[in-house]
Amino acid sequence: MADRGRPRSFDREEALGRGMELFWLKGFDGASIAELTGAMGIASPSLYAAFGSKEGLFREAVARYLAQEGADIWQAVLTAGSAHAVIERFLMATATAFTLEGRPTGCFVVLSAINAGAASAEVRAELHAWRERNVTGLTQHLARGVAAGEIAADTDLEQVARFYVTVQQGMALQARDGASRAMLEAIAQSALAAWGPLTAGKTVPAGQ
Amino acid sequence: MADRGRPRSFDREEALGRGMELFWLKGFDGASIAELTGAMGIASPSLYAAFGSKEGLFREAVARYLAQEGADIWQAVLTAGSAHAVIERFLMATATAFTLEGRPTGCFVVLSAINAGAASAEVRAELHAWRERNVTGLTQHLARGVAAGEIAADTDLEQVARFYVTVQQGMALQARDGASRAMLEAIAQSALAAWGPLTAGKTVPAGQ
DNA sequence: TTATTTATGTGTCGACCGATCAAGAAAGAA
DNA sequence: TTCTTTCTTGATCGGTCGACACATAAATAA
């Protein structure tokens, strides 16, 4: 990495942050180069010199999002003292992260490249993998709850994890539709009401 | 409506169906006029003569979707014999509708115009209203469950309804991510596990 | 037939898309 | 200073976007 030549006149990290927020708000296709350069305060050749392409910028935006908002959620999960608390913190931290002031609502990973054809197949596969990682991540935490006798041994952990990730994804859409943090927390509490039946064992969770 | 002049050479309803499926699959922005006319088997002037504009076609596609797939779900709900069955049929019919063979997965109303800037503000507001109507619709059905003594009187019905609609919207994303009907049904069953605690009254649903 | 009306196929409009080129500016290396 | 390297600015590339003009074809009305 040469340190010769004219130095960059803008803060790369800050520009990336602005770009991430625009992708977050409008999605990959919805954010045009003209809008991105406007939000980032640079001209397009500078964007291409620094990030290679629109897709390159988007990839870095994904990484940035995961390192920031994503880390907040999993950090909250890590300090949970029980399997139930893992799910509770996962959903509560989600409610907070999806309604931060001054940031787009909902989840970048869920909302920014939904429709086929948006972004490249590679990028969409990458985002898909990150969504699935939420399921595997929660499943691993739940496994410790089984070892601790907190969850019945015959519980389908991945199924439970997938249910709560599905609720989280629904919360992303609710947030994008204007739901407040309090509304998301109420949804989270409703989902947590299923915890007992879901983890109590053989007597199949039946509701009524 | 004049019946003079050269008659239309294509089936308007069938063309609308093809257009609806493309919007469903790729979203409003993602489906270009070129792709639409290709899928519909007509040239662009015919599209504009028959539907006015891309947005006009999209509006009719929304109506068509609601009248078809949407009606299937609410038809299933109408024949439910209890409030619990209302939610169960709502989610089970959703699992079926979101994974029909030969059709796009997930929900047109949820997936086709997510990001800001896609479609016009009017169309997005209209879709938003349809999503909210799911909440009010379920709430009304739940009210009968209270009258029947099936649901505790102090239950926040709209909250319960919103929770299950959130699950449904999460299922739309799971379906778009490749979830099978069986997987969606399992998610639905997990959500139904919350029914007892959610409707049992004062003793707040707490999970653990 | 002739006139009128409507739909179709071909071609194309201005606007915007993502991406670059070329020329000048600002740094270190010699 | 001069050379080399890198970034910035302004202009612009070919392609695609949604939408439409125009001429022609196919129907009814007179």
Side-chain angles (χ1 to χ4, degrees), chain B residues 178-199:
Chain B
S180 67
R181 173 174 166 179
M183 290 172 71
L184 296 185
E185 287 174 344
I187 291 167
Q189 286 298 339
S190 296
L192 286 168
W195 176 262
L198 286 180
T199 60

Side-chain angles (χ1 to χ4, degrees), chain A residues 190 193, chain B residues 83 87 138-139 141-147 149-164 194-205:
Chain A
S190 295
Chain B
I87 302 297
L138 282 188
T139 301
H141 278 93
L142 293 179
R144 292 208 290 273
V146 175
E150 187 186 351
I151 299 175
D154 65 342
T155 304
D156 185 340
L157 299 182
E158 184 174 335
Q159 172 54 39
V160 172
R162 185 171 298 280
F163 164 64
Y164 283 110
W195 176 262
L198 286 180
T199 60
K202 269 300 177 190
T203 321
V204 165

Side-chain angles (χ1 to χ4, degrees), chain A residues 11-104:
Chain A
D11 185 325
R12 192 180 190 277
E13 289 307 304
E14 186 180 328
L16 174 56
R18 310 274 188 129
M20 178 196 71
E21 290 206 6
L22 198 67
F23 277 133
W24 189 354
L25 182 66
K26 306 194 132 195
F28 181 83
D29 285 340
S32 70
I33 295 290
E35 288 172 313
L36 285 165
T37 55
M40 298 164 78
I42 61 178
S44 54
S46 295
L47 188 157
Y48 282 87
F51 302 99
S53 65
K54 184 182 184 181
E55 180 173 325
L57 174 62
F58 185 80
R59 285 176 181 275
E60 291 205 38
V62 172
R64 168 71 154 259
Y65 177 84
L66 292 170
Q68 283 186 1
E69 330 298 329
D72 283 352
I73 294 178
W74 288 102
Q75 187 64 34
V77 166
L78 283 178
T79 59
S82 66
H84 177 267
V86 163
I87 302 297
E88 183 176 30
R89 297 202 177 195
F90 176 76
L91 293 180
M92 289 302 163
T94 289
T96 301
F98 284 8
T99 56
L100 291 178
E101 289 218 26
R103 310 220 124 186

Side-chain angles (χ1 to χ4, degrees), chain A residues 161-178:
Chain A
R162 186 172 297 280
F163 164 64
Y164 283 109
V165 168
T166 300
V167 171
Q168 185 197 37
Q169 294 181 354
M171 287 167 66
L173 293 169
Q174 286 290 310
R176 190 50 63 96
D177 267 352

Side-chain angles (χ1 to χ4, degrees), chain B residues 58-79:
Chain B
F58 185 81
R59 286 176 181 276
E60 291 205 36
V62 172
R64 170 71 154 260
Y65 177 84
L66 292 170
Q68 284 186 359
E69 331 297 330
D72 282 352
I73 293 178
W74 288 102
Q75 188 63 34
V77 165
L78 282 178
T79 58

